[in-house]
Amino acid sequence: MSTLIERKTSDRHSIAIETTDAAHYAATKRRLTAAQRQWLGAFGFEAAPGTFALLPDAGGKLVRVLVGVDAGDALGALGGLPRTLPEATYHLADEGVLKDTQQAALGWALGAYEFTRYRKARRAPARLAIAAADLKVLQPLVDATTQVRDLVNTPTEDMGPKHLADAVKQLGKAHKAKVREWVGDELLDANFPTIHAVGRASHRAPRLIELNWGKASDPKLAVIGKGVCFDTGGLDLKPADGMRWMKKDMGGAAHAIALAGLIMQAKLPVRLQLLIPAVENAVSGAAMRPGEVITTRAGITVEVDNTDAEGRLVLCDALAYASEQKPELLIDFATLTGAARVALGPDLPALFANQDDLADQVIAAGRATNDPLWRLPLWRPYRKMLESYLADLANAGPSRHAGAITAALYLERFVPEAMPWLHLDTYAWNDNDRPGRPRGGEALGLRAFFAFLQQRYGG
């Protein structure tokens, strides 16, 4: 059952939730009965953000919930309630201090999420009744976020390259899109050598999955997602703590798949190409070795300085292939570097763009949707950090400086200079439980990019 439902004007059985804060709490209490005010005093409720109080009527029946909020954070205001309030249907009272009730409802829905593939739900979440117009806007965003979280949370044994391909095929079937894939040595025959090199050591064959949808007369939009289903680091093996959560290294693919679903569901007037290079970066006798030189699809030779810098390798062939189709806009998502997390922390994905106006538009969309991004520069003097003594460039270098920037600069080499390009280095994960953001897989940047595309293409 969905935690967001349509509110009917004839429904008198839902329970009112009134949001308040310290500045408005006195006025809130004046609307209550003397018994309810006495109850709040005994309860010690003072309208602090993140707190709530259940208000009964004279017969002891729950009739209202007071929720302390930060009025400037509508998205986070209700996120902790669906799994803490008694199971029932609620609605937002008109008297509340939150003005953006749509964002508040979205936060409620995001907070109701629980990953239940391997265990039963702890309890059913409470439901929030909202206007039909708000439900129409929010439900696709909730479903897309759920898809990202589910894909990222699923362990690699159940979310390998073939499983990612199955997710794209299901999407294609739902929207009557064309899907094809290149698997194993077919990648070499089709000239995708770096995807093959990264994935060849695994017992599960690497692959490139392509989905195409839309009218030939519409502008071409290419969306790419890094699908490294598990990253051991390869022969440059990660330590145990660095490897523990590497099931999430396909978070870029999860974002790209979910965004493609939103685009097709909204019927944006674009000709969509979705590309998912899906691999495991494993260790075996066939593993890619440090020092190897690979001739990429674009004809650029790359020295493998570090086998743990594999994401940029699988992406570069996909970027080159997408660029051959001359898209009007090229977007890629990747859980690419720990350096981005060191620079910006877990909540701010690093945005790179080769055109200032593109970056400004996406950042503005992120601000409007409470899905923030932060731009980092494509500082081209740092290209020297990727120099190789025997190839056109290396996939990494000895310097630990500016790791997110040098990774983006590597990708930029595979994008034609005049082609509009956006790259998002996203964490795709919550380290801890927070209201609206349960621990585990997370969509970071998804709503921002969808809002940007809606504005750009008039959806």
Side-chain angles (χ1 to χ4, degrees), residues 389-400:
Y389 83 98
L390 80 170
D392 293 326
L393 78 163
N395 74 326
S399 175
R400 296 177 64 86

Side-chain angles (χ1 to χ4, degrees), residues 82-125:
R83 296 196 175 275
T84 53
L85 288 179
E87 185 183 347
T89 300
Y90 300 82
H91 68 270
L92 283 171
D94 295 336
E95 301 88 352
V97 299
L98 289 179
K99 303 304 179 187
D100 194 341
T101 56
Q102 190 180 91
Q103 282 292 302
L106 177 60
W108 172 289
L110 298 183
Y113 173 85
E114 185 178 4
F115 185 59
T116 58
R117 179 163 180 165
Y118 304 103
R119 67 180 182 189
K120 293 181 179 179
R122 290 167 291 178
R123 48 155 287 186

Side-chain angles (χ1 to χ4, degrees), residues 67 70 125 127 140 158 165 184 190 209 223 236 281 291 373 376 398 420 432 438 449:
V67 180
D70 174 356
R127 299 170 298 280
D158 294 321
I209 309 113
V223 178
D236 289 312
N281 188 21
L373 314 170
L376 291 181
N432 302 291
F449 269 81

Side-chain angles (χ1 to χ4, degrees), residues 25 33 40 53 138 154 200 216 260 265 306 316 325 341 409:
Y25 186 41
T33 67
L40 288 173
L138 295 180
T154 302
R200 72 192 186 204
Q265 184 173 355
N306 190 314
C316 73
Q325 320 300 314
R341 255 47 68 202
L409 289 171

Side-chain angles (χ1 to χ4, degrees), residues 235-248:
L235 291 178
D236 289 312
L237 198 68
K238 292 178 182 289
D241 60 345
M243 201 187 302
R244 172 63 180 89
W245 299 108
M246 281 300 99
K247 68 175 184 178
K248 78 176 189 64

Side-chain angles (χ1 to χ4, degrees), residues 71-193:
D73 180 21
L75 185 66
L78 307 182
L81 297 181
R83 296 196 175 275
T84 53
L85 288 179
E87 185 183 347
T89 300
Y90 300 82
H91 68 270
L92 283 171
D94 295 336
E95 301 88 352
V97 299
L98 289 179
K99 303 304 179 187
D100 194 341
T101 56
Q102 190 180 91
Q103 282 292 302
L106 177 60
W108 172 289
L110 298 183
Y113 173 85
E114 185 178 4
F115 185 59
T116 58
R117 179 163 180 165
Y118 304 103
R119 67 180 182 189
K120 293 181 179 179
R122 290 167 291 178
R123 48 155 287 186
R127 299 170 298 280
L128 186 68
I130 62 175
D134 288 339
L135 185 61
K136 184 178 180 180
V137 171
L138 295 180
Q139 195 61 59
L141 298 176
V142 174
D143 292 343
T145 300
T146 296
Q147 183 178 33
V148 172
R149 290 172 171 179
D150 283 351
L151 288 172
V152 175
N153 282 328
T154 302
T156 304
E157 189 61 26
D158 294 321
M159 190 49 63
K162 182 181 183 302
H163 298 97
L164 275 183
D166 289 343
V168 176
K169 290 174 183 176
Q170 289 174 6
L171 190 66
K173 184 178 181 180
H175 296 282
K176 299 181 180 179
K178 295 179 180 179
V179 178
R180 64 172 174 169
E181 59 182 328
W182 298 265
V183 181
D185 288 346
E186 292 176 359
L187 291 165
L188 296 177
D189 296 337
N191 193 22
F192 298 108

Side-chain angles (χ1 to χ4, degrees), residues 202-237:
S202 174
H203 66 291
R204 293 191 282 189
R207 59 192 68 209
L208 176 65
I209 309 113
E210 179 183 23
L211 176 149
N212 284 284
W213 171 90
K215 298 178 182 178
S217 57
D218 286 333
K220 184 73 176 284
L221 168 65
V223 178
I224 302 172
K226 172 189 167 185
V228 177
C229 296
F230 196 85
D231 182 19
T232 67
L235 291 178
D236 289 312
L237 198 68

